[in-house]
Every structure is written in structure tokens, then in C-alpha cells.
Amino acid sequence: MDREAMSNEENYCFDVAGYLHIPGVLNRGEVKALNEALDKGGQSEGMLRWDSPLRDVFRDLMIHPQLVWYLNQIVGYGFRLDREPELLCDETWDVGAPLVGGNEPRNPARAYYFQNGRRYCQAVRAIWALEDVEEGDGGFVMVPCTHKVNVETPEDVATGEDDMGLTFQPALKAGDLFLVAGTVLQGVRPSKGTRRLLSYEYVGRAAIQSAGTGPMVAKDPSPEWHAAISPEQRASLYKPDYEYSTPPPVVVTDGETVKLDESREVFHPSIYSRDPNSNIDEKEFYFWELNGYLILKGVMDEEWLEKANGAVDKFEDRIVVQEELSRGSKSLAGTGRPVLGGLLDLPEPYCEPFRKMVAHPTVQHRLTWMGGSGARMSGPSAFCSVQGTSGHALHDAGEPMYPPMGYQFQNGRSYSEAVTVTWQLRDVPPGLGGFACVPGSHKGKYPTPPGVRSCDDHMGLAKQLVMEAGDVLFFADGSTTHGTTAWKNPIPRRGILIKYSSRSFHRSGGEMVHPWNRWGDDMVEGMTDAHLAVMRGTDRDARDYNVPRLEVKDGEVEVSYERGQALYSGEAPATPVVEQMRNRRGR
Ligand SMILES: [Fe+2]
């Protein structure tokens, strides 16, 4: 490989979604040789031990230079083959079985680790496409982002009974390489005809997974004296990588006794137990935790929709066309965004359908488990894009993380400090514009690539969400990368957008940021600008230098009012405030 390291785009894709599609790694001749060897071999597994020269192409493929180059960066140096290669098909897989994987409970030997720019994904499946696979062909399927999910897989998602639209079947061309994190929920579904996908599974150098298949593996290397000790004691003395110890023996204990559990299911007690009385719909919680957004169907009824739409129609002349927000994107370019604000202040009865959205129990309930109680809302605004209105370049992300708008998960709780709720007053069909986001990006640890921001080259990661009138959308707006695709629908958009901020952080700042308002005139009397910089009240923290702050230059403390790129609250001063304070007194 000419490049030193994976591009940010590649890192971002694998980090956010748990897979990476590398097109055209094998040329036609190589694909042909592999297919011919498979035809001659006539089996769907065991290729590495076939007679030479049939096996040679499969042995070489195991250490294909491009694959090694990627695995060194994804798994880490010293990665190793865990299982013999196999074709992903009906013969090697139970295609009716539930998907396997997911990150809860965590399996450390297969998990995705990332810290301080270093990644160790302990298990990776490398799939080589030897034939074209189109969308809808079936075969290998997966649920993106599940390598980081903190919630147990709902049964319906694993069986496909109700997969909540989450299952993804990648389309591949012969010669492509597709890498999938081992903990991604995955499996093989019935496929239309044969679609040759050759799979090799790799793991970290120290990760204990499968036993090998050689004759020694069947041995029990325990010394004879083990016959004289209890089964539980023998279980503590097992040696890994033999059949008898794969999976490892399990001893269950209550602290008084020890007992061998023949099922060998992991026994790993927690100090917490799942709360069936939490009043949280567990599939909703899974979807939110996995993707960073959630759609509730049919919250508004026909009558409510009619009143809300009627009110927007009535005050159409108050719609203000705001700035164009495509930020240099080719695919999102268009005209400015038309917005109608002040909906709660409209005269009776027009304000009613919007006031009904305030503290509505259906929405309040979700907000409370998404970020805890105490959230406060902005005034709702109606987004009324017309055909030709620009999209809004995708913005916000898990990286860089900043506390006031971040997403964290701990001990069964979602901590989303900023949530936006959008009430749909009209249908949002596919492909005609509207809200779009990158599912899973709330947990991203690599910077958002420019092509994802602009949607011009988003690697299939950005999704425009399809909704119906009456649906309500929630998204973790500070951390889930989101925006809007250009409006192509002849019927104008009608989305009522409300931003919620958690009890823990200020989103915009207000008059209480001023030291004299916060502390009183007598307290701040005679203070310098440097003093006043630390006497300020709660303000917006928008990642950048957007508040007056102290800096030390040549041993002296100075106040800087220099502004960065970020958004400012209306109250943020751009110049020294002592004078401002004096002028205020002089009034
Ligand atoms: Fe936004």
C-alpha cells in the first residue's frame, strides 16, 4: 500500500458503522482463479487443506497485502486467523437462525476498543465477494453500529420478526473486500441463487475464541493429579485453545458454594438488575441507543394536524426566508430556508395546536429517559421549505465531543444533553428531501469527513428519514451528525422543530451572564475586566472561544474577547466590559 494509514473517511466509517467496504481489491483474473478453484474443490469449506494447487489461492488470499494492511490498523499487529475460511451460504449457515453478535453483554474477546486514537477491534470478518451481490439478493446481512451498542439485542431484531428497519445487506461487486467488526450483529439469510461470498475470521493476537482443528486440539493436557480434585477446581486450572476448554468451563458461586455449570454460559453478575417497571419500551431504547434518533408513529391525530396546518396557512405571510445552509455542498444547494417562528404566541385559537406540544406526555416520557428530567424547550418553529430550498449541511458529531451537547451512556441510562424534537405536519416521502442523519455518529470518535458533511460523498452512511404526518422525530442534536437534504417535493415541508436543553447545561446564555446581573452592582463595583471575566454567569459553550476568557502572556493575565468560528449568544461581549458596565450605570 502506498498510503501510510487508513484515511479519516475509512476510520470514520468503521468506527461509526462497524464495517468498511473496499472496492476492487481483487482483479478479474484473481476472482476467476478463486471461482475455478471453488468449482473444482466442490465444497464450501476446508479450502486451506485442499490439495495443492487448489488450496494455494485461498492461502494467499488469507494474507492478501491489502487485507493485512487494513487488519493491522483495525485489529492491531499480530492479528491471527480464528476459523477456517468458509463460503457464506445455506450449507455453512443456518439461514433461518437469529442473527448473532451485539455488544451487550460485552464479550471482551470480540469487542471494539478505542482510546486516545488507538483502536483494537478484537474480531473482524473479512468477506471477499467472488460474484456480484445486488441489494435485495439476500445472503450476508448485518445491523450497522451494533459493535458499540450498550443495550441487549431485542429478540425481534435478531430473528428479523420486526427488525425496525435496521438490517443491512451490503451490495458488492466481484473482487470487493468487506470488513465487519466481530461484535456487529450479523448472519446469513436465504439468498437468490448462489452469490459467492468467501469469509475469513480474524482476531486479536491474545483473544481467546475458537479452538483450532488439528489433532492435538482434541487432547486434554491436564496432568493426572487433576483426577483427584473437584470438577470446580479443575475448571480453574484449564488450558485454553483445546476442545475441552472451548468455551471455557464456568463455575457459578453464591459466595458460599461453587458449582460447575455445564451450560458454560458466561456467569458475570452485575450490581444492577434490569427494571421491568422503568416504563421504557425496550425496543425504542435499543433503537435510540444504537442510532442516536427515534421516530414515534402517529402521535398527532387528523384533527390536531388540521388545526396545526391551518394555523401555519393562516400566518403564511409571517414566514421568513432565512440563510442558505448548504455550506458549499453540491447536492444540498438551493435557496434559503423559510421558517415561521413565534408559534406559541399566535392569537387564540391558532396557538393551541402548538401549545399542545408542550409537555405532551408521549414526548415528555421519551425526553425523560433520553436525558433525564429538567429539560427546557425553545419556542417551536415551523420549517416550511419549498421545492428548491437548500439542504442544511450535516453538522454536530460525537467527535469532537463537548459536554453541553454530548451523548453518554452509563449504567442503563442515556445522557443526551441536547435533544431536538420535530413534529411532522406532512408526509416526508423518500428521496424528496428532509431530515437526514448518520445513524451511530453520536458515538463516533473520528472527525466527520467533509464528504459526509456536504452529503456529496457520504459513503452510504447518511440517511434521509421517511416519515408520515403525525409522526414525531427525536434526535441527539449535539452528537448525532444531522442536517437536511434539499427539498425537491412540490408540497412544502411542514416540520415543527423544538430544541430541548438538559438541566445541566446552558445552550444560549442570557442576561444572567453579566456579572452585575448575577452578583449585583455593589459586588462588581471597581472590578477590572479580568475580574469580571470570571464573575460571568452560565453561557453557551460552543466548542470554540465564544466567551471572554483569561489568558496569560509574559506572566501577565489578560482578557481575550477574540471570537472563534462558533455561534455566539446575543449577550456575549466582543469588547472589554468595564466600559459597558459604566455606560449602563450612566443611563
Ligand atoms: Fe442542527
Side-chain angles (χ1 to χ4, degrees), residues 473-496:
L473 163 73
F474 298 75
F475 59 98
D477 74 60
S479 49
T480 302
T481 301
H482 68 277
T484 324
T485 53
W487 198 258
K488 295 174 185 159
N489 194 336
I491 304 165
R493 185 184 183 192
R494 283 280 169 86
I496 309 297

Side-chain angles (χ1 to χ4, degrees), residues 305-465:
L305 281 168
E306 216 169 278
K307 282 185 182 164
N309 274 314
V312 177
D313 292 340
K314 172 87 181 167
F315 295 96
E316 213 165 18
D317 58 334
R318 294 195 193 172
I319 292 177
V320 176
V321 178
Q322 300 181 338
E323 59 176 323
E324 208 266 18
L325 295 161
S326 62
R327 295 178 185 153
S329 160
K330 291 190 194 94
S331 55
L332 305 181
T335 52
R337 179 172 67 190
V339 175
L340 174 64
L343 300 176
L344 296 182
D345 303 324
L346 293 176
E348 291 279 359
Y350 304 104
C351 58
E352 279 169 16
F354 307 109
R355 290 190 182 179
K356 202 173 161 181
M357 294 171 181
V358 183
H360 188 279
T362 305
V363 168
Q364 192 73 21
H365 171 51
R366 274 75 183 186
L367 286 171
T368 307
W369 62 247
M370 287 172 181
S373 64
R376 60 195 181 282
M377 60 178 275
S378 67
S381 311
F383 284 20
C384 306
S385 306
V386 293
Q387 197 168 17
T389 297
S390 77
H392 189 171
L394 304 198
H395 53 282
D396 292 325
E399 167 61 32
M401 191 278 292
Y402 75 126
M405 293 177 81
Y407 173 83
Q408 305 289 336
F409 181 91
Q410 191 173 311
N411 293 333
R413 293 192 176 92
S414 156
Y415 293 83
S416 193
E417 305 301 338
V419 177
T420 293
V421 174
T422 313
W423 300 70
Q424 312 303 324
L425 302 191
R426 283 183 179 156
D427 291 352
V428 188
L432 295 181
F435 180 85
C437 67
V438 178
S441 52
H442 57 317
K443 296 180 210 163
K445 296 283 185 281
Y446 286 88
T448 313
V452 173
R453 282 186 188 281
S454 65
C455 275
D456 287 342
D457 185 10
H458 61 75
M459 304 180 282
L461 296 174
K463 289 203 161 55
Q464 182 242 311
L465 303 185

